Amino acid sequence: RIVMATVKGDVHDIGKNIVGVVLGCNNYEVIDLGVMVPCEQILDTALEREAHLIGLSGLITPSLDEMVHVAREMKRRGLELPLLIGGATTSRQHTAVKIAPEYEPPTVHVLDASRAVGVVSDLLDAGRRGPFAAQNRADQEQLRETYGGRRERALLPYPVARERRLALDWRAEDLPEPAFLGRRLLAEAPLAEIARYIDWTFFFLAWELKGKFPKILEHPRYGAAARELYENGRALLEEILGTRTIRGAGVYGFWPANRQGDDVVLWADPRRSAEVARFPMLRQQRDPGAGKPTLSLADFVAPVESGLVDHVGAFAVTAGIGADELAARYERDHDDYHAIMVKALADRLAEAFAEWLHERVRREWGYGGDEALGLEDLLRERYRGIRPAYGYPACPDHTEKWRLFELLEAPEAGVTLTEHCAMVPAASVSGLYFAHPQARYFTVGKIDRDQVADYAARKGMSVAEVERWLRPNLGYEPEAPGA
Protein backbone atom coordinates (compact mmCIF):
# COMPACT_ATOMS: atom_id res chain seq x y z
CA ARG A 1 0.00 0.00 0.00
CA ILE A 2 1.53 3.29 -1.09
CA VAL A 3 0.42 6.85 -0.33
CA MET A 4 1.18 9.20 -3.22
CA ALA A 5 0.82 12.95 -3.51
CA THR A 6 1.97 16.03 -5.39
CA VAL A 7 3.44 18.17 -2.63
CA LYS A 8 2.07 21.41 -1.21
CA GLY A 9 2.06 24.32 -3.66
CA ASP A 10 2.39 22.18 -6.80
CA VAL A 11 -0.46 21.27 -9.17
CA HIS A 12 1.23 18.96 -11.68
CA ASP A 13 0.27 15.31 -11.55
CA ILE A 14 0.45 13.61 -14.96
CA GLY A 15 3.58 11.63 -14.10
CA LYS A 16 2.30 10.75 -10.65
CA ASN A 17 -0.98 9.53 -12.08
CA ILE A 18 0.77 7.31 -14.61
CA VAL A 19 2.94 5.81 -11.84
CA GLY A 20 -0.22 5.20 -9.82
CA VAL A 21 -1.90 3.38 -12.69
CA VAL A 22 1.18 1.22 -13.32
CA LEU A 23 1.44 0.27 -9.65
CA GLY A 24 -2.30 -0.42 -9.49
CA CYS A 25 -2.04 -2.73 -12.49
CA ASN A 26 0.65 -4.65 -10.58
CA ASN A 27 -1.64 -5.28 -7.59
CA TYR A 28 -0.38 -2.53 -5.31
CA GLU A 29 -2.98 -0.46 -3.47
CA VAL A 30 -2.43 3.21 -4.34
CA ILE A 31 -3.87 5.94 -2.13
CA ASP A 32 -3.56 9.03 -4.32
CA LEU A 33 -4.12 12.23 -2.34
CA GLY A 34 -3.99 14.46 -5.42
CA VAL A 35 -2.17 17.78 -5.75
CA MET A 36 -1.11 20.59 -3.38
CA VAL A 37 -1.15 18.17 -0.45
CA PRO A 38 0.24 19.46 2.88
CA CYS A 39 2.91 17.41 4.62
CA GLU A 40 0.67 16.69 7.62
CA GLN A 41 -2.03 15.17 5.44
CA ILE A 42 0.48 12.92 3.66
CA LEU A 43 1.97 11.57 6.88
CA ASP A 44 -1.32 11.31 8.77
CA THR A 45 -2.83 9.32 5.90
CA ALA A 46 0.19 7.02 5.73
CA LEU A 47 -0.14 6.24 9.43
CA GLU A 48 -3.92 5.90 9.44
CA ARG A 49 -3.95 3.60 6.40
CA GLU A 50 -0.86 1.65 7.53
CA ALA A 51 0.93 2.37 4.27
CA HIS A 52 4.14 0.57 3.36
CA LEU A 53 5.66 3.40 1.30
CA ILE A 54 5.22 7.12 0.61
CA GLY A 55 5.69 8.62 -2.85
CA LEU A 56 6.18 12.38 -3.43
CA SER A 57 5.89 14.15 -6.77
CA GLY A 58 6.59 17.68 -7.95
CA LEU A 59 7.37 19.63 -11.09
CA ILE A 60 8.37 23.17 -10.04
CA THR A 61 11.65 23.82 -8.20
CA PRO A 62 10.03 25.04 -4.92
CA SER A 63 8.64 21.51 -4.58
CA LEU A 64 12.18 20.30 -3.99
CA ASP A 65 12.34 22.16 -0.67
CA GLU A 66 8.88 20.90 0.27
CA MET A 67 10.12 17.32 -0.23
CA VAL A 68 13.03 18.04 2.12
CA HIS A 69 10.50 19.31 4.67
CA VAL A 70 8.45 16.11 4.35
CA ALA A 71 11.58 13.98 4.88
CA ARG A 72 12.45 15.94 8.03
CA GLU A 73 8.93 15.52 9.36
CA MET A 74 9.04 11.78 8.65
CA LYS A 75 12.20 11.57 10.76
CA ARG A 76 10.74 13.76 13.53
CA ARG A 77 7.63 11.60 13.75
CA GLY A 78 9.65 8.39 13.81
CA LEU A 79 8.41 6.90 10.53
CA GLU A 80 10.42 4.10 8.96
CA LEU A 81 8.67 3.84 5.59
CA PRO A 82 10.66 4.00 2.36
CA LEU A 83 10.31 7.38 0.64
CA LEU A 84 10.04 7.56 -3.16
CA ILE A 85 10.84 10.83 -4.98
CA GLY A 86 9.75 11.65 -8.53
CA GLY A 87 8.88 14.48 -10.88
CA ALA A 88 10.42 16.50 -13.68
CA THR A 89 12.63 18.78 -11.55
CA THR A 90 13.76 16.00 -9.20
CA SER A 91 16.97 14.10 -9.79
CA ARG A 92 19.16 11.39 -8.33
CA GLN A 93 21.63 14.07 -7.28
CA HIS A 94 19.12 16.31 -5.49
CA THR A 95 17.60 13.30 -3.75
CA ALA A 96 21.05 12.16 -2.60
CA VAL A 97 22.34 15.58 -1.55
CA LYS A 98 19.28 17.27 -0.07
CA ILE A 99 16.58 14.74 0.83
CA ALA A 100 18.26 11.45 1.78
CA PRO A 101 20.48 13.01 4.52
CA GLU A 102 17.30 14.17 6.30
CA TYR A 103 15.77 10.68 6.60
CA GLU A 104 17.59 7.43 7.37
CA PRO A 105 15.24 4.79 5.84
CA PRO A 106 15.58 4.23 2.07
CA THR A 107 14.95 7.43 0.12
CA VAL A 108 14.91 6.56 -3.56
CA HIS A 109 14.65 8.68 -6.69
CA VAL A 110 12.38 6.97 -9.22
CA LEU A 111 13.13 8.14 -12.74
CA ASP A 112 9.85 7.12 -14.37
CA ALA A 113 6.84 4.84 -14.15
CA SER A 114 8.65 1.97 -15.85
CA ARG A 115 11.09 1.77 -12.90
CA ALA A 116 8.50 2.22 -10.14
CA VAL A 117 7.31 -1.39 -9.97
CA GLY A 118 10.82 -2.78 -9.68
CA VAL A 119 11.79 -0.29 -6.97
CA VAL A 120 8.65 -0.92 -4.93
CA SER A 121 9.03 -4.67 -5.34
CA ASP A 122 12.63 -4.58 -4.09
CA LEU A 123 11.75 -2.37 -1.12
CA LEU A 124 8.89 -4.61 0.00
CA ASP A 125 10.69 -7.95 -0.41
CA ALA A 126 12.31 -9.05 2.85
CA GLY A 127 15.22 -10.66 1.03
CA ARG A 128 15.91 -7.90 -1.49
CA ARG A 129 15.30 -4.79 0.60
CA GLY A 130 18.61 -4.95 2.47
CA PRO A 131 20.89 -5.25 -0.59
CA PHE A 132 18.79 -2.71 -2.52
CA ALA A 133 18.95 -0.18 0.32
CA ALA A 134 22.69 -0.70 0.76
CA GLN A 135 23.35 -0.15 -2.93
CA ASN A 136 21.10 2.92 -2.91
CA ARG A 137 23.04 4.40 0.05
CA ALA A 138 26.38 3.72 -1.65
CA ASP A 139 25.22 5.33 -4.88
CA GLN A 140 23.94 8.37 -3.01
CA GLU A 141 27.18 8.74 -1.06
CA GLN A 142 29.08 8.73 -4.35
CA LEU A 143 26.73 11.39 -5.73
CA ARG A 144 27.29 13.55 -2.63
CA GLU A 145 31.07 13.29 -3.06
CA THR A 146 30.80 14.22 -6.74
CA TYR A 147 28.50 17.13 -5.90
CA GLY A 148 30.92 18.39 -3.25
CA GLY A 149 33.74 18.40 -5.77
CA ARG A 150 31.70 20.38 -8.25
CA ARG A 151 30.80 22.98 -5.62
CA GLU A 152 34.48 23.68 -5.06
CA ARG A 153 34.82 25.14 -8.55
CA ALA A 154 35.35 28.88 -8.15
CA LEU A 155 32.77 31.38 -9.34
CA LEU A 156 33.59 34.82 -10.65
CA PRO A 157 33.02 37.71 -8.23
CA TYR A 158 29.70 39.29 -9.15
CA PRO A 159 31.26 42.69 -10.08
CA VAL A 160 33.61 40.87 -12.47
CA ALA A 161 30.71 38.89 -13.97
CA ARG A 162 28.83 42.17 -14.56
CA GLU A 163 31.85 43.67 -16.30
CA ARG A 164 31.95 40.66 -18.61
CA ARG A 165 28.34 41.09 -19.74
CA LEU A 166 27.40 40.68 -23.37
CA ALA A 167 28.53 43.82 -25.18
CA LEU A 168 26.06 44.81 -27.90
CA ASP A 169 26.19 47.66 -30.37
CA TRP A 170 22.87 49.36 -29.63
CA ARG A 171 21.24 50.79 -32.75
CA ALA A 172 17.79 52.28 -33.18
CA GLU A 173 17.17 50.06 -36.22
CA ASP A 174 17.47 46.94 -34.01
CA LEU A 175 14.69 48.15 -31.72
CA PRO A 176 11.33 47.72 -33.48
CA GLU A 177 8.26 49.43 -32.06
CA PRO A 178 5.19 47.32 -31.26
CA ALA A 179 1.82 48.10 -32.85
CA PHE A 180 0.38 48.92 -29.42
CA LEU A 181 1.49 49.44 -25.82
CA GLY A 182 -0.01 47.93 -22.67
CA ARG A 183 -1.89 44.67 -22.23
CA ARG A 184 -4.54 42.89 -24.29
CA LEU A 185 -6.87 40.17 -23.13
CA LEU A 186 -7.63 37.09 -25.24
CA ALA A 187 -10.80 36.02 -23.48
CA GLU A 188 -11.47 33.10 -25.81
CA ALA A 189 -8.49 31.43 -27.46
CA PRO A 190 -9.06 29.78 -30.88
CA LEU A 191 -8.01 26.32 -29.73
CA ALA A 192 -8.92 24.66 -33.04
CA GLU A 193 -6.39 26.92 -34.79
CA ILE A 194 -3.88 26.64 -31.94
CA ALA A 195 -4.03 22.82 -32.08
CA ARG A 196 -2.13 22.92 -35.38
CA TYR A 197 0.91 24.12 -33.38
CA ILE A 198 1.05 21.08 -31.08
CA ASP A 199 4.44 19.43 -30.71
CA TRP A 200 3.38 15.78 -30.47
CA THR A 201 6.87 14.63 -29.47
CA PHE A 202 6.25 15.86 -25.93
CA PHE A 203 2.82 14.24 -25.84
CA PHE A 204 4.53 10.87 -26.18
CA LEU A 205 7.16 11.82 -23.58
CA ALA A 206 4.36 12.34 -21.06
CA TRP A 207 3.62 8.63 -21.52
CA GLU A 208 7.34 7.78 -21.36
CA LEU A 209 7.58 6.91 -25.05
CA LYS A 210 10.81 8.58 -26.12
CA GLY A 211 11.30 9.48 -29.74
CA LYS A 212 10.73 12.30 -32.17
CA PHE A 213 7.33 12.59 -33.84
CA PRO A 214 6.42 11.30 -36.41
CA LYS A 215 9.34 8.83 -36.52
CA ILE A 216 8.22 7.39 -33.19
CA LEU A 217 5.15 5.94 -34.94
CA GLU A 218 7.44 3.56 -36.81
CA HIS A 219 9.71 2.70 -33.90
CA PRO A 220 10.61 -1.02 -34.09
CA ARG A 221 9.97 -1.59 -30.37
CA TYR A 222 7.01 0.59 -29.41
CA GLY A 223 5.75 2.02 -32.68
CA ALA A 224 2.48 0.07 -32.38
CA ALA A 225 1.83 1.51 -28.90
CA ALA A 226 2.72 5.00 -30.16
CA ARG A 227 0.30 4.69 -33.09
CA GLU A 228 -2.52 3.58 -30.81
CA LEU A 229 -1.78 6.40 -28.36
CA TYR A 230 -1.65 8.95 -31.18
CA GLU A 231 -4.93 7.74 -32.64
CA ASN A 232 -6.66 7.89 -29.26
CA GLY A 233 -5.12 11.27 -28.50
CA ARG A 234 -6.26 12.77 -31.80
CA ALA A 235 -9.77 11.38 -31.32
CA LEU A 236 -10.06 12.86 -27.82
CA LEU A 237 -8.63 16.16 -29.03
CA GLU A 238 -11.24 16.38 -31.77
CA GLU A 239 -13.95 15.66 -29.22
CA ILE A 240 -12.62 18.34 -26.87
CA LEU A 241 -12.42 20.92 -29.64
CA GLY A 242 -15.87 20.03 -30.93
CA THR A 243 -17.62 20.12 -27.57
CA ARG A 244 -15.51 22.99 -26.15
CA THR A 245 -15.21 21.15 -22.85
CA ILE A 246 -11.75 22.74 -22.46
CA ARG A 247 -11.24 26.45 -23.05
CA GLY A 248 -8.22 28.67 -23.43
CA ALA A 249 -7.57 32.29 -22.57
CA GLY A 250 -4.58 34.58 -22.27
CA VAL A 251 -3.20 38.05 -21.82
CA TYR A 252 -0.13 39.67 -23.34
CA GLY A 253 1.34 43.08 -23.99
CA PHE A 254 4.28 45.36 -24.74
CA TRP A 255 5.96 48.06 -22.68
CA PRO A 256 8.78 50.57 -23.29
CA ALA A 257 11.83 49.21 -21.45
CA ASN A 258 15.47 49.72 -20.57
CA ARG A 259 18.19 47.95 -18.66
CA GLN A 260 19.39 49.51 -15.42
CA GLY A 261 22.27 47.49 -14.03
CA ASP A 262 20.94 43.92 -14.09
CA ASP A 263 17.30 45.03 -13.84
CA VAL A 264 14.84 45.26 -16.73
CA VAL A 265 12.67 48.34 -16.16
CA LEU A 266 9.29 48.71 -17.89
CA TRP A 267 7.98 52.24 -18.41
CA ALA A 268 4.46 53.60 -18.61
CA ASP A 269 5.19 55.37 -21.91
CA PRO A 270 8.06 56.08 -24.35
CA ARG A 271 8.86 59.30 -22.44
CA ARG A 272 9.72 57.09 -19.44
CA SER A 273 7.51 59.26 -17.25
CA ALA A 274 6.86 56.47 -14.74
CA GLU A 275 8.09 52.99 -13.92
CA VAL A 276 5.38 50.30 -14.08
CA ALA A 277 7.48 47.23 -13.29
CA ARG A 278 11.05 46.24 -12.58
CA PHE A 279 12.31 42.70 -13.16
CA PRO A 280 15.63 41.92 -11.43
CA MET A 281 17.66 39.44 -13.47
CA LEU A 282 20.34 36.94 -12.50
CA ARG A 283 23.71 36.66 -14.21
CA GLN A 284 26.04 33.75 -14.89
CA GLN A 285 28.99 33.59 -12.51
CA ARG A 286 30.66 30.44 -13.79
CA ASP A 287 33.65 31.50 -15.89
CA PRO A 288 32.66 30.65 -19.48
CA GLY A 289 36.22 30.93 -20.78
CA ALA A 290 38.32 33.60 -22.44
CA GLY A 291 36.41 36.01 -24.64
CA LYS A 292 32.96 34.67 -23.72
CA PRO A 293 30.39 36.81 -21.88
CA THR A 294 28.62 36.00 -18.62
CA LEU A 295 25.01 36.33 -19.69
CA SER A 296 21.91 37.85 -18.13
CA LEU A 297 18.54 38.40 -19.77
CA ALA A 298 19.05 42.09 -18.96
CA ASP A 299 21.82 42.12 -21.59
CA PHE A 300 19.22 41.86 -24.36
CA VAL A 301 17.54 45.17 -23.46
CA ALA A 302 18.99 48.58 -24.36
CA PRO A 303 20.61 50.25 -21.33
CA VAL A 304 19.04 53.48 -20.15
CA GLU A 305 22.34 55.32 -20.70
CA SER A 306 22.15 54.54 -24.43
CA GLY A 307 19.40 57.12 -24.79
CA LEU A 308 17.32 54.60 -26.76
CA VAL A 309 13.89 53.31 -25.76
CA ASP A 310 13.61 49.55 -26.14
CA HIS A 311 10.55 47.36 -25.55
CA VAL A 312 9.83 44.15 -23.65
CA GLY A 313 6.76 41.93 -23.90
CA ALA A 314 5.03 39.67 -21.40
CA PHE A 315 2.39 36.94 -21.58
CA ALA A 316 0.36 34.39 -19.63
CA VAL A 317 -1.80 31.82 -21.40
CA THR A 318 -3.78 28.76 -20.42
CA ALA A 319 -5.51 25.93 -22.27
CA GLY A 320 -6.62 24.22 -19.10
CA ILE A 321 -9.93 25.86 -18.26
CA GLY A 322 -12.25 22.90 -17.70
CA ALA A 323 -9.48 20.27 -17.95
CA ASP A 324 -9.60 19.21 -14.31
CA GLU A 325 -13.38 18.88 -14.44
CA LEU A 326 -13.24 16.73 -17.58
CA ALA A 327 -10.49 14.55 -16.12
CA ALA A 328 -12.51 14.12 -12.91
CA ARG A 329 -15.47 12.98 -14.99
CA TYR A 330 -13.35 10.20 -16.51
CA GLU A 331 -11.95 9.30 -13.07
CA ARG A 332 -15.47 8.88 -11.70
CA ASP A 333 -16.01 6.37 -14.51
CA HIS A 334 -12.75 4.62 -13.49
CA ASP A 335 -11.22 5.58 -16.84
CA ASP A 336 -7.71 6.60 -15.74
CA TYR A 337 -6.37 6.38 -19.29
CA HIS A 338 -8.58 9.16 -20.64
CA ALA A 339 -8.28 11.18 -17.42
CA ILE A 340 -4.51 11.31 -17.85
CA MET A 341 -4.83 11.95 -21.58
CA VAL A 342 -7.05 15.00 -20.98
CA LYS A 343 -4.32 16.61 -18.89
CA ALA A 344 -1.58 15.63 -21.33
CA LEU A 345 -3.52 17.18 -24.23
CA ALA A 346 -4.23 20.34 -22.20
CA ASP A 347 -0.48 20.70 -21.55
CA ARG A 348 0.26 20.34 -25.26
CA LEU A 349 -2.44 22.89 -26.14
CA ALA A 350 -0.99 25.37 -23.64
CA GLU A 351 2.48 25.06 -25.16
CA ALA A 352 0.96 25.33 -28.64
CA PHE A 353 -0.91 28.45 -27.49
CA ALA A 354 2.38 30.01 -26.38
CA GLU A 355 3.95 29.21 -29.77
CA TRP A 356 0.93 30.54 -31.68
CA LEU A 357 0.88 33.74 -29.64
CA HIS A 358 4.62 34.32 -30.02
CA GLU A 359 4.23 34.15 -33.80
CA ARG A 360 1.46 36.75 -33.55
CA VAL A 361 3.58 38.89 -31.22
CA ARG A 362 6.51 38.95 -33.65
CA ARG A 363 4.21 40.30 -36.36
CA GLU A 364 2.68 42.89 -34.04
CA TRP A 365 6.15 43.90 -32.86
CA GLY A 366 7.05 44.74 -36.44
CA TYR A 367 9.88 42.30 -37.10
CA GLY A 368 8.14 39.00 -37.92
CA GLY A 369 5.88 40.03 -40.77
CA ASP A 370 8.01 38.40 -43.47
CA GLU A 371 8.42 35.05 -41.68
CA ALA A 372 7.63 32.01 -43.80
CA LEU A 373 8.10 29.27 -41.24
CA GLY A 374 6.52 25.85 -41.12
CA LEU A 375 5.68 24.03 -37.92
CA GLU A 376 9.06 22.31 -37.80
CA ASP A 377 10.81 25.69 -38.12
CA LEU A 378 8.71 27.11 -35.30
CA LEU A 379 9.36 24.15 -33.02
CA ARG A 380 13.08 24.47 -33.69
CA GLU A 381 12.82 28.21 -32.88
CA ARG A 382 14.19 29.34 -36.22
CA TYR A 383 12.98 32.87 -35.65
CA ARG A 384 14.16 36.06 -34.01
CA GLY A 385 13.39 36.63 -30.35
CA ILE A 386 12.88 34.48 -27.25
CA ARG A 387 10.14 33.94 -24.64
CA PRO A 388 11.86 32.77 -21.43
CA ALA A 389 9.60 31.50 -18.65
CA TYR A 390 10.24 32.08 -14.97
CA GLY A 391 11.46 28.93 -13.27
CA TYR A 392 13.51 27.89 -16.31
CA PRO A 393 17.32 28.09 -16.67
CA ALA A 394 17.68 31.71 -17.87
CA CYS A 395 15.42 33.10 -15.11
CA PRO A 396 15.06 30.41 -12.42
CA ASP A 397 13.38 32.58 -9.76
CA HIS A 398 9.71 31.54 -9.61
CA THR A 399 8.79 34.47 -7.33
CA GLU A 400 9.05 36.92 -10.24
CA LYS A 401 5.82 35.38 -11.53
CA TRP A 402 4.02 37.43 -8.88
CA ARG A 403 5.36 40.62 -10.45
CA LEU A 404 4.60 39.32 -13.95
CA PHE A 405 1.01 38.36 -13.07
CA GLU A 406 0.40 41.74 -11.43
CA LEU A 407 1.65 43.53 -14.56
CA LEU A 408 -0.56 41.42 -16.83
CA GLU A 409 -3.55 41.21 -14.47
CA ALA A 410 -3.38 37.53 -15.38
CA PRO A 411 -6.29 36.35 -13.16
CA GLU A 412 -8.64 38.10 -15.60
CA ALA A 413 -7.57 35.43 -18.11
CA GLY A 414 -8.28 32.69 -15.57
CA VAL A 415 -4.63 32.07 -14.58
CA THR A 416 -3.55 32.33 -10.95
CA LEU A 417 -0.59 31.28 -8.79
CA THR A 418 -0.32 28.95 -5.80
CA GLU A 419 1.74 29.96 -2.77
CA HIS A 420 4.72 28.19 -4.37
CA CYS A 421 4.18 29.99 -7.70
CA ALA A 422 2.74 27.05 -9.62
CA MET A 423 0.29 28.25 -12.25
CA VAL A 424 -3.37 27.23 -12.03
CA PRO A 425 -4.67 25.69 -14.26
CA ALA A 426 -1.62 23.46 -14.57
CA ALA A 427 -1.82 23.67 -18.38
CA SER A 428 -0.54 27.25 -18.45
CA VAL A 429 2.55 29.06 -19.76
CA SER A 430 3.88 32.51 -18.92
CA GLY A 431 7.00 34.56 -19.46
CA LEU A 432 8.66 37.55 -21.06
CA TYR A 433 9.38 38.45 -24.69
CA PHE A 434 12.77 39.74 -25.87
CA ALA A 435 13.18 40.85 -29.47
CA HIS A 436 16.87 41.69 -29.93
CA PRO A 437 18.42 39.73 -32.83
CA GLN A 438 21.08 38.28 -30.50
CA ALA A 439 18.66 37.27 -27.73
CA ARG A 440 19.01 33.58 -26.94
CA TYR A 441 18.30 31.03 -24.23
CA PHE A 442 21.03 30.09 -21.75
CA THR A 443 21.48 28.64 -18.27
CA VAL A 444 22.33 30.93 -15.34
CA GLY A 445 23.78 27.99 -13.42
CA LYS A 446 25.43 28.36 -10.02
CA ILE A 447 25.58 31.77 -8.35
CA ASP A 448 27.54 32.98 -5.33
CA ARG A 449 26.74 34.79 -2.08
CA ASP A 450 27.65 38.23 -3.44
CA GLN A 451 25.11 38.04 -6.26
CA VAL A 452 22.44 36.56 -3.98
CA ALA A 453 22.88 39.48 -1.55
CA ASP A 454 22.68 42.02 -4.39
CA TYR A 455 19.69 40.29 -5.94
CA ALA A 456 17.87 40.12 -2.60
CA ALA A 457 18.39 43.86 -2.10
CA ARG A 458 17.06 44.60 -5.59
CA LYS A 459 13.99 42.44 -4.92
CA GLY A 460 13.37 43.77 -1.43
CA MET A 461 13.59 40.27 0.07
CA SER A 462 15.81 38.80 2.74
CA VAL A 463 18.88 36.83 1.69
CA ALA A 464 17.51 33.74 3.45
CA GLU A 465 14.24 33.94 1.52
CA VAL A 466 16.03 34.32 -1.81
CA GLU A 467 18.29 31.39 -0.93
CA ARG A 468 15.24 29.25 -0.23
CA TRP A 469 13.71 29.95 -3.64
CA LEU A 470 17.01 29.67 -5.54
CA ARG A 471 18.47 26.72 -3.64
CA PRO A 472 19.18 24.61 -6.78
CA ASN A 473 21.26 27.52 -8.16
CA LEU A 474 23.34 28.22 -5.07
CA GLY A 475 27.06 27.65 -5.50
CA TYR A 476 27.51 27.50 -1.72
CA GLU A 477 25.82 26.03 1.32
CA PRO A 478 23.61 28.64 3.01
CA GLU A 479 23.79 29.13 6.75
CA ALA A 480 21.27 27.18 8.81
CA PRO A 481 18.45 29.27 10.31
CA GLY A 482 19.63 30.97 13.51
CA ALA A 483 23.30 30.37 12.75
Side-chain angles (χ1 to χ4, degrees):
R1 185 179 300 122
I2 178 169
V3 169
M4 297 179 61
T6 297
V7 296
K8 179 181 176 182
D10 203 327
V11 297
H12 300 88
D13 63 353
I14 293 176
K16 171 182 67 67
N17 293 349
I18 292 176
V19 170
V21 170
V22 171
L23 289 172
C25 289
N26 282 271
N27 296 320
Y28 293 101
E29 181 183 345
V30 178
I31 304 166
D32 190 341
L33 299 180
V35 301
M36 294 200 296
V37 185
C39 172
E40 294 76 14
Q41 183 182 350
I42 296 171
L43 303 190
D44 289 347
T45 303
L47 290 170
E48 291 167 6
R49 301 291 298 273
E50 299 182 349
H52 300 94
L53 306 97
I54 292 176
L56 304 179
S57 178
L59 179 71
I60 59 174
T61 49
S63 298
L64 301 177
D65 261 1
E66 184 64 22
M67 292 176 179
V68 174
H69 170 64
V70 174
R72 287 172 178 160
E73 280 297 293
M74 291 177 71
K75 179 179 180 180
R76 187 185 69 81
R77 293 174 63 163
L79 273 68
E80 296 184 356
L81 308 178
L83 177 60
L84 307 185
I85 302 295
T89 57
T90 64
S91 66
R92 291 175 62 244
Q93 177 177 288
H94 181 270
T95 303
V97 174
K98 298 297 183 182
I99 305 178
E102 303 292 341
Y103 183 63
E104 188 172 344
T107 302
V108 185
H109 180 255
V110 182
L111 182 64
D112 53 42
S114 64
R115 316 285 177 89
V117 173
V119 169
V120 171
S121 176
D122 286 340
L123 288 170
L124 295 183
D125 184 274
R128 298 200 303 271
R129 175 166 173 164
F132 177 87
Q135 184 61 54
N136 184 61
R137 282 195 299 270
D139 292 344
Q140 290 179 339
E141 182 60 36
Q142 180 62 49
L143 284 168
R144 285 191 284 271
E145 291 178 8
T146 302
Y147 176 75
R150 288 175 182 168
R151 290 173 72 88
E152 294 171 2
R153 293 172 57 189
L155 300 174
L156 294 172
Y158 183 46
V160 174
R162 284 201 309 262
E163 290 173 3
R164 292 179 59 174
R165 65 164 40 94
L166 179 66
L168 296 175
D169 181 19
W170 291 100
R171 306 178 304 171
E173 54 265 37
D174 290 330
L175 307 179
E177 294 189 16
F180 68 93
L181 296 179
R183 65 184 285 278
R184 284 188 176 176
L185 178 68
L186 299 172
E188 194 68 43
L191 291 185
E193 178 183 347
I194 286 168
R196 299 201 298 268
Y197 291 72
I198 287 179
D199 184 350
W200 287 97
T201 294
F202 289 94
F203 173 75
F204 292 104
L205 277 177
W207 298 87
E208 299 176 12
L209 293 177
K210 299 175 182 178
K212 190 170 177 57
F213 178 82
K215 290 183 180 179
I216 191 172
L217 302 178
E218 304 303 326
H219 192 280
R221 180 178 170 190
Y222 43 76
R227 289 192 296 273
E228 180 181 1
L229 183 63
Y230 181 56
E231 181 180 338
N232 293 340
R234 289 301 300 260
L236 182 56
L237 178 62
E238 290 301 317
E239 180 182 333
I240 288 170
L241 296 176
T243 58
R244 296 167 62 86
T245 45
I246 290 180
R247 293 177 43 251
V251 60
Y252 73 107
F254 306 100
W255 287 265
N258 285 111
R259 172 176 65 80
Q260 285 187 343
D262 279 350
D263 291 350
V264 174
V265 182
L266 275 55
W267 308 107
D269 53 58
R271 300 188 308 277
R272 296 183 283 204
S273 62
E275 181 179 312
V276 297
R278 178 180 290 258
F279 291 97
M281 296 298 177
L282 292 166
R283 180 173 297 281
Q284 294 174 326
Q285 282 189 269
R286 187 80 73 197
D287 190 343
K292 295 181 180 179
T294 48
L295 295 175
S296 168
L297 286 174
D299 294 345
F300 304 132
V301 182
V304 67
E305 57 266 25
S306 70
L308 300 171
V309 178
D310 205 343
H311 291 84
V312 164
F315 72 98
V317 300
T318 183
I321 301 172
D324 285 344
E325 292 78 5
L326 180 58
R329 192 190 313 167
Y330 282 114
E331 288 169 353
R332 286 193 296 270
D333 293 335
H334 305 289
D335 186 348
D336 292 320
Y337 178 63
H338 280 92
I340 294 170
M341 186 171 287
V342 165
K343 296 185 177 184
L345 287 172
D347 276 357
R348 290 302 95 221
L349 280 169
E351 293 290 347
F353 192 172
E355 196 68 71
W356 173 88
L357 183 58
H358 195 190
E359 185 179 51
R360 172 171 168 166
V361 160
R362 293 192 297 274
R363 293 196 301 269
E364 294 180 340
W365 209 329
Y367 66 89
D370 59 351
E371 285 183 356
L373 303 177
L375 180 59
E376 184 67 19
D377 295 319
L378 292 173
L379 297 181
R380 290 180 175 270
E381 298 165 356
R382 291 172 177 157
Y383 47 73
R384 171 178 165 176
I386 57 174
R387 50 177 177 90
Y390 279 111
Y392 283 76
C395 43
D397 182 5
H398 282 272
T399 67
E400 286 300 301
K401 289 180 195 168
W402 285 323
R403 201 183 315 265
L404 176 69
F405 274 45
E406 182 180 1
L407 172 73
L408 291 168
E409 300 173 47
E412 189 179 353
V415 193
T416 58
L417 296 173
T418 70
E419 61 185 298
H420 288 178
C421 295
M423 289 178 286
V424 180
S428 301
V429 184
S430 64
L432 297 173
Y433 293 124
F434 295 86
H436 193 277
Q438 292 194 43
R440 62 182 178 86
Y441 297 104
F442 61 91
T443 298
V444 166
K446 298 298 182 184
I447 57 177
D448 217 339
R449 297 178 189 270
D450 53 355
Q451 180 168 192
V452 170
D454 183 272
Y455 185 70
R458 288 187 280 140
K459 285 175 64 69
M461 294 172 66
S462 70
V463 169
E465 193 173 6
V466 168
E467 287 175 336
R468 182 171 68 86
W469 284 96
L470 290 177
R471 187 172 295 273
N473 290 89
L474 299 182
Y476 62 95
E477 195 63 40
E479 291 183 354

